[in-house]
Amino acid sequence: MCRWLAYSGTPVLLGDILYKPAHSLIDQSLHSRMGVETTNGDGFGIGWYGSDAHTPAIVRDTGPAWNNRNLQEIADHVRSPLFFAHVRASTGTAVQQTNCHPFRHGRWMWMHNGAITDFHRLRRDLSLAIDPALYSLLEGSTDSEVMFYLAITLGLDQDAPGAVARMAGLVEGLGREHGVEYPLQMTIAVTDSERLWAFRYSSQGKSRSLFYSTRAATVRELHPDLAFLTGVSAETRLIVSEPLGDLPGVWNELPESSCAVVQPGTDELFTFEPQPV
């Protein structure tokens, strides 16, 4: 499996989030505590929006994140209000750049930790369910990218939670037609540059770990010595595969079968359930 983080809020240097925390994502690429694998060295990717850009920049590589000088260089010089970062542990598909997350389509950005069980058996049927106008845009061979283009096909532009629910319903329906007992395992982050949605779900009801940060004002009260929080807005949030440190009161587990929405104003948390297609 993989580890990822999504940041939304006051523009920050990527390096302040990727490298500086005690259990940063870079540390997790070598020493994951909650993932299926301790090491996530089968590639990495970052994607970010500039202050006036509605389409994200994407940088991906097949090597491990922990010793990539280009990643360090970018992280030390790029400031963004919304970015994704992902370190990969392959579930069987090739280690190649087009299989690294995040994935991009227009203004949308997507990353995933988990797997479609027996994807090799379901790949053809799932791929044929993608809008033919989108099919040629598939570049890699992962289940994650197929899930992304299925969600776009099923209405991501109009209703992001509904599209992801229909995508999950399609995967589960086809999986069970093929005799797969637990077809889907997913923690997903997706954004349109304005809002960020995070999903935690599995067919078995035992999903991979996912956490969201407490509101910045509360964390400042609990830990006034955290320099990173100086000047950060109340709407700043992080969603992560596993906590970036052990400070009490900072991290909250996203409930099983749920969706969180980080957006201007009040954030939301609600139950997530796949919808039949």
Side-chain angles (χ1 to χ4, degrees):
M1 299 294 171
C2 310
R3 303 280 83 183
W4 59 254
L5 71 78
Y7 173 91
S8 176
T10 301
V12 294
L13 283 173
L14 273 58
D16 287 350
I17 308 296
L18 293 180
Y19 287 90
K20 290 185 178 180
H23 189 46
S24 69
L25 190 69
I26 303 304
D27 181 64
Q28 291 175 34
S29 67
L30 269 171
H31 306 297
S32 172
R33 300 172 183 173
M34 297 181 177
V36 175
E37 297 86 5
T38 301
T39 303
N40 297 273
D42 294 329
F44 69 86
I46 53 173
W48 70 92
Y49 297 86
S51 58
D52 58 353
H54 295 289
T55 57
I58 301 284
V59 173
R60 301 182 292 183
D61 198 273
T62 56
W66 62 77
N67 66 356
N68 190 284
R69 295 178 65 183
N70 288 331
L71 176 60
Q72 178 80 68
E73 186 74 11
I74 291 168
D76 285 346
H77 291 85
V78 170
R79 190 178 295 271
S80 173
L82 200 167
F83 68 89
F84 285 2
H86 187 282
V87 291
R88 184 172 184 243
S90 173
T91 56
T93 49
V95 178
Q96 60 191 47
Q97 191 176 92
T98 53
N99 284 345
C100 294
H101 308 222
F103 301 101
R104 172 183 60 192
H105 178 72
R107 65 192 173 117
W108 290 95
M109 187 161 58
W110 170 285
M111 62 183 173
H112 167 235
N113 172 38
I116 296 175
T117 306
D118 289 345
F119 178 58
H120 64 285
R121 295 169 56 198
L122 309 182
R123 184 202 305 263
R124 181 179 181 276
D125 288 345
L126 291 173
S127 297
L128 289 174
I130 295 172
D131 184 334
L134 298 170
Y135 183 81
S136 64
L137 301 177
L138 284 165
E139 294 186 319
S141 57
T142 63
D143 50 359
S144 303
E145 189 181 18
V146 168
M147 292 163 68
F148 181 33
Y149 279 97
L150 283 171
I152 297 170
T153 299
L154 295 168
L156 191 65
D157 264 324
Q158 293 76 41
D159 172 18
V164 175
R166 290 185 288 274
M167 177 277 293
L170 176 62
V171 171
E172 288 198 324
L174 283 172
R176 286 168 179 153
E177 285 178 18
H178 285 77
V180 180
E181 185 177 10
Y182 301 120
L184 186 58
Q185 173 72 245
M186 68 178 211
T187 61
I188 287 170
V190 59
T191 181
D192 62 355
S193 81
E194 296 178 358
R195 287 184 288 178
L196 163 65
W197 293 265
F199 301 86
R200 184 181 185 219
Y201 176 79
S202 66
S203 306
Q204 193 175 7
K206 297 180 180 179
S207 300
R208 301 291 180 249
S209 58
L210 197 62
F211 296 82
Y212 64 94
S213 62
T214 300
R215 292 184 66 84
T218 303
V219 178
R220 267 195 294 265
E221 291 177 6
L222 292 169
H223 306 285
D225 56 326
L226 290 181
F228 155 72
L229 292 175
T230 303
V232 169
S233 74
E235 296 196 347
T236 296
R237 292 277 193 180
L238 273 160
I239 302 178
V240 297
S241 293
E242 56 189 82
L244 305 185
D246 299 322
L247 293 174
V250 176
W251 302 104
N252 313 275
E253 186 174 17
L254 200 70
E256 183 71 49
S257 301
S258 65
C259 171
V261 188
V262 178
Q263 59 192 353
T266 303
D267 297 335
E268 296 181 45
L269 179 65
F270 53 87
T271 301
F272 175 82
E273 184 176 348
Q275 296 177 11
V277 176

